[in-house]
Amino acid sequence: MIDDSTTAGTDTASTPGVPVLTVDALTIGIGSRNNVKSIVKGISLSLTPGRIQGLAGESGSGKTVTSLAMLGLLPSNAVVGGSIRLGDTELVGMSHRQLNDIRGRRIAMIFQDPSSSLHPQLMVGTQLTDHVKRHLKLSTKQARAHAIELLERVRVPNPDEALSRYPHQFSGGQRQRIAIAIALACDPVVLLADEPTTALDVTVQAGILHLLRDLADERQLAVLLVTHDLGVMSAIADDIAVMRHGEVVESAPRQAIFSTPQHAYTRELLSSLPGAEGFQEATQ
Ligand SMILES: Nc1ncnc2c1ncn2[C@@H]1O[C@H](COP(=O)(O)OP(=O)(O)OP(=O)(O)O)[C@@H](O)[C@H]1O
Ligand SMILES: [Mg+2]
């Protein structure tokens, strides 16, 4: 692990079992002054080191907007209320400059399309080392060694050679692995993963999900896994929150969601899973 104790104003040393990021009564509206559309209507959830918090729900329910709020990446006409705390630091209302410091460094994100986290015209090595050189003040040689270590960890073949290749020279699954390596480069405490496998071939999805699971365990990362697909959740999430129309309608450990869903909407989502009948037993 890299010592980043110099980070100013973010007391986020992670303690097992203690939430590192806490969302409390979060509201998000988007629009102009007299026409603000309410999108997120007072949701609460927390992310804990080593645990994967799933966020499920239909398209348009507010999952992505919620995760963008945690990064301070909402459009400028968004109105945010409530609280998002990283350790002791309140992120709602924080300046762009302070948020820039936290983003990528304390809270990292991967997206559905790995290409959106990767620069098409920069070599993978540049993208991996630029971050760490700037944020962690490593020498070129140290940054390169760190990059190779990360690529090895996410199982990109021939990491040494991979550093001097461009994103388009990799498969979709490998690109997502590289995006994960970049996300982890500055040793964040929180990883937000928004539909990280949706754009991938089904044969490579499981590999990416298991990698996220292993990384959460090894690095005590607090992970938010956003997906509309409860099947994906069932593979790796510890806890699941179900969103609908900007509200969390149910939130519980994975097993309880699958074995004893309380809300009609959760039951509806579960019944749409392929092989839904045998599913409850398989998850016990
Ligand atoms: N920049 C924006 N301006 C206006 N409305 C927006 C903006 N971004 C999102 N919305 C609206 O906010 C609501 C929630 O969108 P969001 O992208 O969070 O949904 P989601 O749950 O991630 O859906 P999906 O599963 O399709 O990704 C939608 O009604 C969407 O139209
Ligand atoms: Mg989304």
Side-chain angles (χ1 to χ4, degrees):
M1 290 259 170
I2 284 166
D3 175 20
D4 54 357
S5 53
T6 52
T7 308
T10 48
D11 176 15
T12 51
S14 65
T15 311
V18 176
V20 69
L21 188 136
T22 311
V23 173
D24 197 18
L26 178 71
T27 58
I28 302 171
I30 300 185
S32 56
R33 209 164 270 264
N34 46 12
N35 185 24
V36 176
K37 182 181 165 205
S38 171
I39 289 171
V40 172
K41 300 165 186 163
I43 69 165
S44 299
L45 50 90
S46 58
L47 305 182
T48 305
R51 287 186 82 80
I52 297 183
Q53 168 71 58
L55 188 58
E58 67 194 352
S59 183
S61 56
K63 306 181 297 296
T64 293
V65 163
T66 299
S67 43
L68 291 177
M70 297 178 190
L71 292 164
L73 284 179
L74 289 171
S76 56
N77 60 345
V79 185
V80 183
S83 164
I84 303 173
R85 276 193 320 281
L86 178 68
D88 295 333
T89 307
E90 177 60 58
L91 304 187
V92 173
M94 191 179 246
S95 74
H96 286 293
R97 196 188 57 76
Q98 286 172 304
L99 276 166
N100 273 338
D101 190 43
I102 287 173
R103 196 184 310 129
R105 177 170 179 154
R106 312 302 295 161
I107 305 179
M109 186 158 186
I110 55 168
F111 301 92
Q112 173 170 341
D113 176 5
S115 306
S116 61
S117 346
L118 300 173
H119 194 299
Q121 277 140 9
L122 289 180
M123 283 190 287
V124 164
T126 311
Q127 302 190 50
L128 268 166
T129 55
D130 264 7
H131 282 279
V132 297
K133 277 201 275 189
R134 195 171 57 246
H135 285 309
L136 305 180
K137 304 193 170 52
L138 298 186
S139 68
T140 302
K141 199 173 160 199
Q142 287 171 321
R144 187 186 161 85
H146 184 52
I148 289 175
E149 229 174 78
L150 283 164
L151 289 177
E152 269 167 4
R153 179 59 198 91
V154 300
R155 301 231 177 86
V156 169
N158 307 319
D160 213 12
E161 273 173 45
L163 291 181
S164 46
R165 289 165 71 192
Y166 294 89
H168 74 267
Q169 296 175 291
F170 295 87
S171 69
Q174 287 169 346
R175 275 201 290 271
Q176 192 61 292
R177 288 172 188 273
I178 293 166
I180 293 170
I182 293 173
L184 296 179
C186 294
D187 211 12
V189 289
V190 175
L191 178 68
L192 309 179
D194 192 350
E195 305 274 7
T197 60
T198 309
L200 301 176
D201 193 287
V202 76
T203 57
V204 301
Q205 288 185 357
I208 298 288
L209 292 173
H210 286 116
L211 175 64
L212 289 176
R213 177 72 262 175
D214 292 345
L215 291 168
D217 294 341
E218 274 166 42
R219 304 170 75 107
Q220 287 297 294
L221 258 181
V223 178
L224 180 73
L225 175 67
V226 174
T227 175
H228 64 280
D229 185 345
L230 273 179
V232 162
M233 294 279 175
S234 69
I236 61 162
D238 295 298
D239 306 289
I240 297 177
V242 179
M243 268 186 96
R244 188 181 205 196
H245 304 322
E247 288 177 296
V248 170
V249 296
E250 182 162 0
S251 182
R254 169 185 59 187
Q255 199 176 317
I257 291 279
F258 285 105
S259 59
T260 49
Q262 301 297 305
H263 197 279
Y265 177 61
T266 311
R267 289 197 287 271
E268 194 186 308
L269 278 183
L270 287 170
S271 67
S272 64
L273 281 174
E277 287 82 52
F279 205 78
Q280 295 187 5
E281 282 155 40
T283 56
Q284 310 249 325

